[in-house]
Structure formats: C-alpha cells, structure tokens
Amino acid sequence: QVQLVESGGGLVQPGGSLRLSCAASGSIFSINAMGWYRQAPGKQRELVATVTRGGNTNYADSVKGRFTISRDNAKNTVYLQMNSLKPEDTAVYYCNADMQVKAWLARKDYWGQGTQVTVSS
C-alpha cells in the first residue's frame, strides 16, 4: 500500500522556523512532481510549493523568499523549510505526490494525512 507520511509540524512563534518532511512508502514505480498544500480553517486548500523530479520549483507568492522546497529522490522524500513564519501561515499542511505505482498504471495524485502548523505568540 502506497502512502505519504508527513512529520515536522508544531507550534512556533512568529519569525520562527519549521521543517516539514514527507516520505512516500510502499511499492512505487515512479514519482513525478511532489508538493505541499495548506488549508486554514474556513478556507480552501491552496498550493504552497511544488518541485519536479528534476528539481524545478514553484512557490505561492505569499511564501516566496521565506519557504524552500526540496526533495531527495533516493529517499522518495520531499521537504519544506519554512522561515520567518507569520500567523497567517497557520494551517494544516498536506503533502502531495504525482506517482505511478506500476508501469502499466496511470499516474495518480496521492495525499498525506496532514500536519498542523500553528504560528502564534
């Protein structure tokens, strides 16, 4: 069974930093783009950052210059380094991966269970 497992969330003061990790496990043929999304209470889920297998990145305007996404293809893991955190970054952060579990199956989106990030003094 393929799954994405996130870790690294928590409570941090404004201006602080957190690092999220997300590891894909199970029988996986290939992983294409990986990314992070977030959902604040009462709001829709929004893209935070994505990274292709080759390392090309894309960021939401609200996090540019503060967050850095990276991945380790050998470990099937994606990271999100979050610096200069603001209260408005408070949300549940979800890992996403575009994966192909078998060579003969189509690619499909997989989601992690989410990890809470709270920025508050």
Side-chain angles (χ1 to χ4, degrees):
Q1 183 178 357
V2 175
Q3 60 178 350
L4 297 173
V5 179
E6 299 129 335
S7 60
L11 173 64
V12 64
Q13 292 187 342
S17 298
L18 281 175
R19 189 189 194 214
L20 305 183
S21 299
C22 171
S25 64
S27 178
I28 300 169
F29 176 71
S30 69
I31 303 178
N32 301 294
M34 302 184 80
W36 291 92
Y37 291 71
R38 67 186 181 186
Q39 187 167 19
K43 294 188 177 181
Q44 290 188 330
R45 189 174 298 189
E46 63 176 4
L47 177 138
V48 176
T50 61
V51 58
T52 67
R53 185 171 181 82
N56 293 320
T57 58
N58 179 53
Y59 295 92
D61 287 343
S62 59
V63 307
K64 282 181 181 176
R66 301 188 297 121
F67 291 10
T68 302
I69 190 170
S70 61
R71 65 188 283 176
D72 185 333
N73 291 331
K75 295 182 179 179
N76 290 340
T77 300
V78 62
Y79 306 95
L80 186 68
Q81 177 66 43
M82 304 185 293
N83 299 328
S84 303
L85 282 160
K86 305 175 180 179
E88 51 264 43
D89 294 318
T90 296
V92 177
Y93 283 70
Y94 295 92
C95 173
N96 170 267
D98 174 11
M99 295 194 287
Q100 189 175 3
V101 298
K102 300 292 183 184
W104 58 89
L105 293 176
R107 291 160 51 175
K108 178 183 172 184
D109 262 347
Y110 289 81
W111 293 89
Q113 79 285 357
T115 185
Q116 177 70 46
V117 171
T118 302
V119 184
S120 175
S121 54

